[in-house]
Amino acid sequence: MGIVRGMNHVGLTVPDIDGATEFFKKGLDAKVAYDSQMPEDPPRGGSEVERFLGIPAGSKITRKRMIVIGSGPNIEMFQFENALSDCPADLGDYGYTHLSFYTDDIDEAYENMKAAGGEPLSEIHQNTRYEDTEGNGTVYFRTPWGSLIELQTLPNGYYYPKDSESEVFVPE
C-alpha cells in the first residue's frame, strides 16, 4: 500500500493573488515557488478546461501561483475571471474549510497574522482532546478575503486512543 506518499498541495481560490501572496508572506513567511499562469498569459477557460477542472461554464483562470510555507504541503492559489462564488467556505460548510499551520511560537505567529491583516476570531485558547497537552494553543483567523486559517502549537505533542492507526504529521 505505498502508492500515496503524502499531501503535495492544497488549492485555494482568492480574489487577488498578489494581495493574498503578500498576506501569506507577511503573516506566515511564505515563499513563491512559481507562477504557472501569468497576467500576460491568455486566461485558461473553455469547455475542455471546464471539464478537466470541474469549473463552471464561463469561468477562466487568470492567475495561478504555487507558494511554500515551512515544511508542510504547498498552496496552489488560483484567481478567476467570471467566478460564480464570492464567499469562501466557513467551518460549518461541507468541503475543505481551513488551513492549519503549526508554530513553535504561537504568540509571535498571532501578532504576525494580525499585522498582515488577518482578523483573529478569538484569543489564543486551549486545544481539545488528544491535542490538549501542556503548553498547547490554537486560534482561528479570517484572511482579508474571508478564508479561515488556524494557528496551532503542541510543544508536548499529541496523545492517542488505544485504537489509533497512526500518529499525526507535525512539520519538522
Side-chain angles (χ1 to χ4, degrees), residues 86-97:
D86 63 354
C87 104
D90 265 329
L91 200 56
D93 294 330
Y94 291 130
Y96 308 106
T97 60

Side-chain angles (χ1 to χ4, degrees), residues 88-90 141-148:
D90 265 329
F141 278 82
R142 196 161 301 281
T143 65
W145 60 91
S147 294
L148 290 174

